[in-house]
Amino acid sequence: MILWLLHQWRGYLYVCMSGFGAERFFNLCAANGIELWEVIDQEKNYQFYMTLPGYRASKLLMRKANIRLRILRKMGLPFFLYRNRRRKLSLLGMLMCILLFYSMSLFIWDISFEGNTRYTDEMLVQYVNRHDIHYGMRKSQISCDKIEAGIRNEFSEITWVSAQVSGTKLFIKIKESEVLSIIPVKDETPSDLVASDSGTITKMMVRSGIAQVSIGDEVEKGQVLVSGAIPVTNDNEELITIRQVHADADIYGILSYSYTKEYPRLHTVTVKTGKERIGYYGKAFQYSAVLLVPDPQNRSWNFTKELHQMKIFENFYLPFYYGIIRGTEYQTYERFYTREEENALANQIENLFLKNLMEKGVHIIENNVKILDNESVCRIEGIVTVEKSIGQDLPMIKRDEMRMKRGTYDNYN
Amino acid sequence: MLEHVGAALVSAFKLPQDVMLGEVLLSIVGRQVVLIENYKSIILYADHCVKLQTKNGKLTINGEHLIIEYYTKDEMKITGRIRSVELDGV
């Protein structure tokens, strides 16, 4: 590539050589550093490429080797400029183009992030935008060190940042920490463990506190399951003090959830007709244009746009975009769900509900679903029996406040 | 005499002979490409034959439609349909 550019820059010739001392000429050229390439033997003569400076330097060698060179083609920039010497506007256009590319190379036209998984590109773009780093800014105004330090300080999970300007692109490479940056602190505040739901207790394992219920008991929501107040008695079993601890236990209970979901039986169906349209999209800086033939019948179309940013080299992005707009025609109409569709939809809703429950660590024991429908509405009713952890912390301060409030209210009444 | 000593030394120290003694180095890629290094001069170039002078003799490449892709003072790349490569000399 570099050699090709060099040949283009200096100019080169395709020549035909005739005479008797061909090999001598080749050897003389090699000895004098004259570059020849793609040498072909054409029975009576030889044809090859040589550079313009090489051709000029080989005049003496031609005489020595007793050969003649005939120029078949002239190529490269010097010949191009000579041929187009009268076309001043073209030359001006070329110069303007070079100037335009040069001026555009002074700005940033693309920002890319690599290695981020916890923080989205949008979050990082918003951050850099807040710090006056944006698309279209001058490259000289960018301080990569500042960007790196700023990102590390702003996002605690990011441990390593590398910002680099290459061409017209700002690369920000990120490494995130793979371990938790904050170690969860064990809660030691005095508290009781209360029931988060009503149900029947199936499993209990108390680590701290005094159990107030046992396996098989029916409990109500808010009922104390494990008390964090531990009475301290003396040898005569007289109460000396009450030690307050953080009640800690695994308590599982069986309970039932009911859920209902209603949806209209009439729904809109979208059908593709198979007709397609193609349009073109172009954008330069903030100005954009769309080339799409309007539809006189005003039918419904679903459009997708494929956007590409123009670039000269790998990282030399330009502020120009082009894209193809593809439209597919569709029609909509309303109809009732069929029985199969209703069942499928009910299954889908049920699965979603159960999936949500299972994600919370709930063990599903039984599930009963009924589909009830009338003319316009379809109703799904379900009762699901589950086994789940029903313990919930209630700090003693909060509990006392609640009691005091209740007491004041009672007194007031 | 000196040449023999040099060759013995290069062999003893396991040095590359093409670099130390200027021996011709040939690389052949299939039947299409031959790369020659350390040649001295071109003796003959024709469509079916390229004959080169090397330090210790002559190197002949026979084939069809032979083209010298490029060459410098000590390196040459020949493409075409290679039929044989011959070394003759001392």
Side-chain angles (χ1 to χ4, degrees):
Chain A
M1 180 71 184
I2 292 168
L3 200 67
W4 180 83
L5 279 174
L6 203 69
H7 288 156
Q8 291 290 338
W9 176 253
R10 288 174 166 177
Y12 61 101
L13 306 162
Y14 191 56
V15 294
C16 174
M17 183 175 76
S18 52
F20 296 102
E23 284 81 7
R24 192 177 177 210
F25 179 74
F26 292 143
N27 289 327
L28 285 169
C29 284
N32 287 281
I34 295 169
E35 198 183 345
L36 309 182
W37 68 98
E38 290 193 27
V39 185
I40 303 170
D41 174 24
Q42 300 277 26
E43 291 192 8
K44 287 179 183 171
N45 53 45
Y46 293 89
Q47 290 180 3
F48 51 85
Y49 289 93
M50 69 191 301
T51 59
L52 184 59
Y55 178 77
R56 285 181 186 142
S58 65
K59 294 267 165 86
L60 183 69
L61 309 182
M62 282 187 240
R63 274 204 297 278
K64 268 190 185 175
N66 196 18
I67 53 107
R68 285 172 68 98
L69 289 182
R70 190 159 53 89
I71 298 170
L72 299 176
R73 259 184 291 159
K74 297 172 180 178
M75 287 151 283
L77 187 68
F79 299 112
F80 176 80
L81 289 177
Y82 183 75
R83 275 197 298 271
N84 297 291
R85 63 191 179 281
R86 288 172 201 276
R87 296 178 181 175
K88 293 187 175 63
L89 281 174
S90 302
L91 192 71
L92 190 73
M94 270 199 293
L95 285 174
M96 291 287 283
C97 182
I98 292 167
L99 197 71
L100 184 75
F101 281 135
Y102 172 72
S103 57
M104 280 193 296
S105 72
L106 300 174
F107 298 89
I108 288 287
W109 296 117
D110 192 27
I111 300 173
S112 79
F113 297 95
E114 200 183 296
N116 50 316
T117 50
R118 289 180 205 178
Y119 302 106
T120 60
D121 280 3
E122 285 72 25
M123 285 166 77
L124 296 165
V125 165
Q126 276 174 12
Y127 168 78
V128 292
N129 286 348
R130 276 204 308 276
H131 290 77
D132 283 337
I133 292 156
H134 48 82
Y135 175 87
M137 74 177 293
R138 285 195 68 142
K139 284 199 303 194
S140 58
Q141 290 174 342
I142 288 180
S143 164
C144 291
D145 292 342
K146 269 189 185 175
I147 297 172
E148 288 168 4
I151 290 176
R152 273 199 308 269
N153 291 338
E154 179 80 13
F155 302 98
S156 56
E157 300 295 334
I158 293 175
T159 51
W160 179 85
V161 185
S162 162
Q164 180 196 351
V165 176
S166 177
T168 57
K169 193 172 184 178
L170 173 64
F171 282 102
I172 299 179
K173 290 180 185 171
I174 285 167
K175 272 193 181 166
E176 294 173 354
S177 67
E178 287 167 5
V179 291
L180 283 172
S181 58
I182 302 161
I183 298 163
V185 181
K186 199 179 171 189
D187 189 7
E188 293 292 349
T189 51
S191 62
D192 290 336
L193 201 70
V194 298
S196 58
D197 295 282
S198 303
T200 310
I201 292 171
T202 53
K203 277 189 270 182
M204 270 183 86
M205 195 180 80
V206 181
R207 282 184 288 270
S208 164
I210 297 170
Q212 306 292 308
V213 288
S214 58
I215 293 170
D217 285 2
E218 294 267 343
V219 294
E220 293 297 318
K221 186 178 177 181
Q223 184 181 335
V224 176
L225 304 175
V226 180
S227 172
I230 300 172
V232 180
T233 54
N234 60 11
D235 292 343
N236 299 329
E237 297 206 343
E238 288 167 349
L239 183 71
I240 301 168
T241 182
I242 291 174
R243 192 159 66 88
Q244 293 184 331
V245 295
H246 180 85
D248 185 16
D250 289 334
I251 298 176
Y252 288 86
I254 289 180
L255 51 121
S256 297
Y257 286 114
S258 64
Y259 59 94
T260 56
K261 170 86 181 169
E262 275 187 3
Y263 56 89
R265 288 193 63 209
L266 204 62
H267 72 291
T268 308
V269 181
T270 306
V271 182
K272 285 182 184 174
T273 59
K275 286 182 185 167
E276 289 189 347
R277 290 164 76 194
I278 284 184
Y280 300 96
Y281 175 85
K283 188 182 171 191
F285 299 98
Q286 68 267 44
Y287 306 105
S288 60
V290 173
L291 192 72
L292 186 69
V293 181
D295 182 13
Q297 292 168 15
N298 209 15
R299 290 167 295 188
S300 303
W301 294 88
N302 209 347
F303 290 107
T304 53
K305 186 163 68 182
E306 211 178 283
L307 203 61
H308 303 279
Q309 189 171 7
M310 286 171 78
K311 60 180 179 179
I312 303 175
F313 304 114
E314 195 186 345
N315 292 323
F316 198 124
Y317 283 85
L318 300 172
F320 304 120
Y321 297 83
Y322 65 94
I324 297 174
I325 299 168
R326 291 178 202 280
T328 45
E329 196 197 2
Y330 67 92
Q331 282 180 352
T332 55
Y333 63 92
E334 287 193 329
R335 70 166 173 82
F336 287 103
Y337 282 114
T338 60
R339 177 56 70 186
E340 288 78 29
E341 282 172 341
E342 271 177 18
N343 288 341
L345 201 63
N347 272 338
Q348 202 181 333
I349 291 166
E350 183 194 345
N351 286 340
L352 188 71
F353 178 76
L354 297 180
K355 193 182 160 199
N356 285 341
L357 280 179
M358 284 195 284
E359 275 173 7
K360 291 174 190 165
V362 172
H363 174 58
I364 294 155
I365 295 169
E366 198 181 334
N367 182 28
N368 296 313
V369 188
K370 275 192 289 185
I371 303 171
L372 310 164
D373 56 353
N374 57 28
E375 276 184 7
S376 59
V377 176
C378 188
R379 185 182 169 90
I380 297 168
E381 284 182 3
I383 297 170
V384 58
T385 308
V386 299
E387 185 182 35
K388 61 170 276 202
S389 171
I390 56 169
Q392 186 184 27
D393 284 340
L394 181 68
M396 287 189 185
I397 300 167
K398 203 173 169 184
R399 185 198 64 189
D400 295 342
E401 275 174 9
M402 282 164 68
R403 277 181 187 166
M404 272 174 70
K405 272 184 193 169
R406 207 177 297 137
T408 320
Y409 182 74
D410 291 344
N411 291 339
Y412 182 75
N413 282 329
Chain B
M1 179 64 187
L2 271 174
E3 273 182 17
H4 288 294
V5 174
L9 276 172
V10 165
S11 178
F13 289 105
K14 291 181 181 172
L15 296 169
Q17 296 200 354
D18 56 313
V19 178
M20 301 308 292
L21 301 175
E23 294 280 11
V24 68
L25 182 69
L26 275 169
S27 312
I28 303 175
V29 183
R31 282 188 166 271
Q32 286 81 38
V33 183
V34 182
L35 192 74
I36 306 128
E37 288 172 65
N38 291 342
Y39 79 96
K40 294 287 173 197
S41 63
I42 303 170
I43 298 169
L44 172 76
Y45 168 51
D47 181 52
H48 59 278
C49 173
V50 180
K51 202 166 189 178
L52 305 173
Q53 179 66 48
T54 67
K55 192 190 172 191
N56 292 325
K58 292 180 181 66
L59 169 71
T60 311
I61 294 141
N62 295 306
E64 287 155 29
H65 310 297
L66 298 179
I67 295 169
I68 301 177
E69 195 89 345
Y70 67 85
Y71 76 100
T72 62
K73 218 158 60 175
D74 50 15
E75 190 183 335
M76 179 183 283
K77 185 181 178 185
I78 297 169
T79 59
R81 188 165 172 77
I82 317 290
R83 203 181 302 130
S84 65
V85 178
E86 291 168 22
L87 284 160
D88 54 350
V90 197

